[in-house]
Amino acid sequence: MSENINHRQIHWFPGHMMKTLRVMEASIRQVDVVLELLDARIPHSSMNPEIERIAAAKPRLYLLNKADLADPNITAAWVRYFKNLGCGCVAITSKNRSGIAAIKKAIDTELDELLSRRADRGMLGAKIRIMVTGIPNVGKSTFINAFTGSNRVQAADRPGVTRGKQWVNAGEYELLDMPGVLWKKFESDDVASNLAFIGSIKDDILDVEEIAMRLLAQLQNTCPDRLEERYRLSKDDLALDAYDLLECIGRKRGMMMSGGVVNTERAAQMLVDEFRASKLGRMSLEKPTRPEKSEDAQDE
């Protein structure tokens, strides 16, 4: 990463998130299964260790949401990764309701033991109670609206819209919608940066130029061809450090102020917005780090 990027720590854990974790701990016994939505572009960074701790004793199903924005081959590798760990996992696009049947089937698979006990007791009509969790801006409300076939939950493309727990009826299911929550201490600057890139940390507490430079530095290493094509850059442009490259992109987009100075703040916001909207193409920022086990190896 470029040396001129400010590594100042970002503070992202307001008091209402601590309250959410307490409510989650108090409510976990009321549910049969936990659905944790992860962002398909950053599955590792979007996995909240506090949710993992609270839900440890419950069946869990990971939903890799926004899969339409991520590299499909890398997403498929993540699905295999989670399944090899013994976890249920489905890649979804919550805005597209066509995948809901697969999610319901996966829930039933995760709850097979519970459903068998209910059948033995003549309780097949009992609703399955599901806690829906995830980080801010991962698409929980949009998912719930798709799952229920209605617009019962307020959804928006920004973090912090859901502020309290709420039960939502969905036929044979009851969904407990929990507010998006982060955790107090991220394990690395990369995790913090990845969450900022996708909009899970509120933009108004961030330095957008710093975030854009971090994003540029990562894209220069992982997919320079995407930058070259989107912003019509030369090979020499791509060799610039992050701030100079941000200036170059702003100049090419005509984002000039008086005196021939580039409006780097405007260029930074444009870059971040275009990344989030997948205008640089379907892109994943993380790959599974552990080797995947083959089915043959698991059988041995």
Side-chain angles (χ1 to χ4, degrees):
M1 189 175 290
S2 173
E3 293 182 359
N4 60 9
I5 297 175
N6 181 1
H7 288 279
R8 175 188 58 199
Q9 187 175 13
I10 301 166
H11 297 284
W12 46 73
F13 194 76
H16 71 82
M17 290 192 180
M18 179 63 76
K19 180 181 178 182
T20 294
L21 291 174
R22 290 182 184 138
V23 171
M24 194 177 295
E25 286 184 297
S27 304
I28 193 68
R29 292 185 180 181
Q30 302 173 24
V31 303
D32 301 313
V33 66
V34 175
L35 293 191
E36 185 173 356
L37 273 74
L38 307 177
D39 191 295
R41 295 167 292 182
I42 54 165
H44 171 72
S45 293
S46 57
M47 182 182 290
N48 186 333
E50 288 297 308
I51 295 176
E52 297 294 300
R53 174 183 63 82
I54 292 169
K58 292 288 180 179
R60 273 173 290 170
L61 175 62
Y62 295 105
L63 303 182
L64 303 185
N65 195 26
K66 305 188 181 182
D68 58 319
L69 305 182
D71 183 305
N73 294 324
I74 296 177
T75 298
W78 276 109
V79 171
R80 293 192 298 271
Y81 168 83
F82 282 111
K83 289 185 176 180
N84 285 335
L85 292 179
C87 305
C89 185
V90 182
I92 68 168
T93 300
S94 59
K95 293 181 179 179
N96 182 355
R97 295 181 178 178
S98 63
I100 296 303
I103 296 167
K104 290 181 177 179
K105 182 178 179 181
I107 292 170
D108 290 343
T109 298
E110 289 301 291
L111 290 176
D112 184 60
E113 184 178 340
L114 173 66
L115 295 175
S116 296
R117 290 201 303 269
R118 285 184 175 177
D120 292 341
R121 297 172 188 172
M123 298 171 59
L124 272 180
K127 287 180 178 287
I128 299 172
R129 308 189 95 194
I130 302 168
M131 180 183 284
V132 183
T133 66
I135 61 173
N137 203 39
V138 77
K140 289 184 293 80
S141 297
T142 302
F143 162 73
I144 289 174
N145 287 334
F147 193 90
T148 60
S150 65
N151 293 318
R152 301 186 190 185
V153 179
Q154 185 181 3
D157 191 20
R158 63 180 187 279
V161 173
T162 303
R163 297 303 290 267
K165 78 171 189 177
Q166 53 187 322
W167 284 100
V168 181
N169 288 317
E172 62 186 297
Y173 305 95
E174 281 187 323
L175 307 182
L176 178 56
D177 181 21
M178 299 299 302
V181 63
L182 295 172
W183 56 106
K184 242 182 179 179
K185 187 176 181 181
F186 296 151
E187 61 194 72
S188 68
D189 286 343
D190 288 340
V191 169
S193 295
N194 285 339
L195 292 169
F197 297 157
I198 67 168
S200 289
I201 302 172
K202 286 189 173 182
D203 286 341
D204 56 10
I205 69 170
L206 301 174
D207 181 335
V208 68
E209 291 179 73
E210 178 181 353
I211 295 306
M213 287 189 291
R214 291 188 182 196
L215 178 58
L216 278 174
Q218 183 158 339
L219 298 182
Q220 281 175 294
N221 288 328
T222 58
C223 50
D225 54 319
R226 301 286 185 90
L227 289 173
E228 182 180 5
E229 181 180 357
R230 179 69 188 174
Y231 301 112
R232 299 181 180 179
L233 302 173
S234 68
K235 300 298 183 185
D236 288 340
D237 294 335
L238 288 170
L240 296 170
D241 74 13
Y243 183 79
D244 290 340
L245 181 55
L246 181 64
E247 274 195 322
C248 177
I249 290 171
R251 188 174 296 108
K252 287 178 179 290
R253 286 291 179 94
M255 297 176 174
M256 308 300 295
M257 300 186 294
S258 59
V261 177
V262 177
N263 187 335
T264 51
E265 182 177 359
R266 184 182 167 200
Q269 191 63 63
M270 177 271 300
L271 178 77
V272 172
D273 288 346
E274 291 198 349
F275 169 78
R276 291 174 182 171
S278 202
K279 291 187 177 179
L280 284 79
R282 297 177 65 173
M283 191 179 300
S284 297
L285 299 181
E286 294 179 331
K287 297 179 180 179
T289 53
R290 298 178 186 176
E292 295 177 18
K293 299 177 183 178
S294 68
E295 293 183 3
D296 291 338
Q298 287 179 311
D299 292 337
E300 292 177 358

